[in-house]
Amino acid sequence: QQQVKQSPQSLIVQKGGISIINCAYENTAFDYFPWYQQFPGKGPALLIAIRPDVSEKKEGRFTISFNKSAKQFSLHIMDSQPGDSATYFCAASGQGGSEKLVFGKGTKLTVNP
Amino acid sequence: KAGVTQTPRYLIKTRGQQVTLSCSPISGHRSVSWYQQTPGQGLQFLFEYFSETQRNKGNFPGRFSGRQFSNSRSEMNVSTLELGDSALYLCASSLSVLGLRAFFGQGTRLTVV
């Protein structure tokens, strides 16, 4: 059972454009929603995270939008740069007292120059 | 401050053998989690340790085991290796038992032939 569904699987954006990646979760016990960025040959790096008590969090060019009623959250990358080309994973934790991270399947982002 | 260190970076083993992977968390971090990453299944939780105690275990067979030492360093062991165990094994550390703000190492790439 996939508890966190992520879309799209791949995304191609022009430099300067906005990249949008969406995730949906099923378990209402989740209470922490991070996004990770992974470059080839590297481990995932924490990008930004949100709690369900806020609807939006912004850090630089990266913004998380959170819709608790719809059980959806999304990552927006403004002014996308070629250096942003990587695989992005959404995740959720806090299920039933466990702090393990449940990951989406990932989105491969390509930003063309 | 040094990041999460995983050794070895690459490993080739034969079916039926066993393997031990090592993880040194960020200094001061007491929680260590392990994840398996494959192209098909994505990132899947293996287990989490805090203060030498296993707090959570993912849905993996008993061939997968781990432990944590008093200095927070952790090892995971896979016995009777199968071809399907080929994956990137990632270790993540965090300050507290909550597992929030988990920082990942670069992983150990295990290939079973």
Side-chain angles (χ1 to χ4, degrees), chain B residues 4-110:
Chain B
V4 178
T5 303
Q6 291 188 246
T7 56
R9 289 291 313 279
Y10 303 92
L11 209 48
I12 300 175
K13 289 286 187 178
T14 305
R15 270 183 303 174
Q17 287 187 313
Q18 74 165 18
V19 66
T20 299
L21 312 181
S22 179
C23 172
S24 293
I26 292 172
S27 178
H29 285 195
R30 297 169 64 190
S31 175
V32 172
S33 301
W34 288 88
Y35 293 81
Q36 181 195 64
Q37 185 175 26
T38 58
Q41 298 299 317
L43 283 148
Q44 292 187 291
F45 173 77
L46 279 157
F47 21 68
E48 177 192 4
Y49 289 88
F50 181 80
S51 293
E52 302 179 66
T53 301
Q54 185 181 91
R55 296 190 66 249
N56 290 294
K57 191 177 192 303
N59 189 25
F60 279 82
R63 300 184 296 106
F64 291 80
S65 62
R67 59 178 175 169
Q68 186 181 33
F69 302 96
S70 58
N71 61 358
S72 293
R73 191 177 69 86
S74 178
E75 288 181 348
M76 68 163 281
N77 184 278
V78 188
S79 62
T80 319
L81 284 166
E82 300 177 0
L83 295 179
D85 297 333
S86 295
L88 181 66
Y89 289 89
L90 293 158
C91 168
S93 79
S94 58
L95 262 176
S96 72
V97 67
L98 294 179
L100 303 182
R101 293 195 63 79
F103 296 89
F104 282 84
Q106 295 200 80
T108 294
R109 172 72 65 184
L110 172 64

